[in-house]
Amino acid sequence: MGTKERRLAEREHIRKIIFDAASDIIIEDGFEKLSIRKIADRIEYSPGVIYNYFKDKNEIVERIIAENIKRICDSMLSLGLQEMSPKAALELGLTRFAGIMLENRQQYKAIMLSGMNVSLFREDKSETGRLSELLIGVLKNGKDSGVFDVRSEEIAAMLLIASVFGLLNTLVQEEIEDEKTQALLIESHVEILVRGVSGHS
């Protein structure tokens, strides 16, 4: 590994421990008690080092949110949902979405407790915009083929994601960490959601 690669690896390592420390402090004490000084004490670095990466605590949480959303979008957009049947695409998409969110449950919990705005349905061409377009497209394909019965694909997509967030909040807040239990609850939840948008003809 060359000097440049080592520096990049070190920067990523420091960013990660800053994110992890900030997440832990938010969970333990609340977002209001989060400070650069507390993070510095937790990771045993000087506050100046953290300020080399972020201007304040808000930017730290904003970056945690942005990087988690990017991770979700990258994974979801790589699934090839457009090539699947609408029902299979919706089942896989919602299941994978829930699973990805739980991969970093400490940061997810911190994001929810921070009270900062998290939107997967921004009206732009960003990754989150493409993600919402993907889900809406799956619902539209299903509606056009008679598989799904929804009044509005946009509203249905928002409600489906909101429902998955509700399940995730329960899993995280109730500290349900057993993987088999998590998988069963996610599978059952997704099954109910897909059945709810499916046509009955």
Side-chain angles (χ1 to χ4, degrees):
M1 181 184 292
T3 303
K4 183 178 180 180
E5 288 78 12
R6 280 199 300 272
R7 286 177 180 168
L8 287 173
E10 182 180 2
R11 285 186 64 82
E12 285 307 306
H13 171 70
I14 294 174
R15 282 166 55 84
K16 184 182 186 306
I17 62 175
I18 290 171
F19 286 166
D20 290 345
S23 298
D24 290 343
I25 293 168
I26 291 170
I27 292 168
E28 293 166 11
D29 303 325
F31 178 71
E32 298 75 15
K33 299 289 182 64
L34 179 66
S35 69
I36 298 296
R37 168 62 68 182
K38 276 194 171 184
I39 296 171
D41 290 344
R42 181 72 63 105
I43 66 176
E44 298 182 343
Y45 278 82
S46 71
V49 171
I50 299 174
Y51 282 117
N52 285 334
Y53 291 80
F54 307 101
K55 65 180 181 181
D56 55 29
K57 71 176 188 178
N58 286 342
E59 186 180 8
I60 292 173
V61 178
E62 286 168 1
R63 291 311 308 163
I64 291 174
I65 293 171
E67 293 192 15
N68 273 279
I69 287 177
K70 183 180 186 303
R71 180 170 56 85
I72 294 164
C73 291
D74 288 346
S75 181
M76 295 294 292
L77 292 169
S78 70
L79 292 176
L81 299 182
Q82 304 92 327
E83 288 76 46
M84 301 178 189
S85 68
K87 187 170 285 190
L90 187 58
E91 289 174 349
L92 177 60
L94 294 176
T95 301
R96 180 64 64 85
F97 177 78
I100 297 166
M101 294 294 286
L102 287 176
E103 285 176 1
N104 203 337
R105 60 192 296 136
Q106 283 296 94
Q107 288 188 11
Y108 171 77
K109 187 174 183 179
I111 291 169
M112 294 298 103
L113 292 175
S114 73
M116 296 185 73
N117 183 46
V118 182
S119 176
L120 295 179
F121 290 89
R122 295 172 181 150
E123 295 180 359
D124 55 31
K125 296 301 181 183
S126 66
E127 288 173 316
T128 54
R130 290 189 290 126
L131 180 59
S132 64
E133 287 174 8
L134 175 63
L135 180 54
I136 291 167
V138 167
L139 290 166
K140 186 177 188 310
N141 289 341
K143 183 177 181 179
D144 290 346
S145 60
V147 176
F148 298 146
D149 181 15
V150 295
R151 292 183 183 179
S152 163
E153 296 89 345
E154 291 81 3
I155 292 174
M158 293 184 72
L159 291 174
L160 287 169
I161 291 299
S163 181
V164 173
F165 269 123
L167 172 64
L168 293 173
N169 286 339
T170 299
L171 293 176
V172 171
Q173 297 297 337
E174 297 296 327
E175 298 183 352
I176 300 172
E177 299 184 5
D178 178 73
E179 291 185 1
K180 289 185 177 179
T181 302
Q182 285 183 4
L184 177 60
L185 289 171
I186 291 171
E187 180 183 349
S188 300
H189 191 77
V190 169
E191 181 182 338
I192 291 170
L193 293 179
V194 173
R195 189 184 304 152
V197 299
S198 297
H200 305 289
S201 57

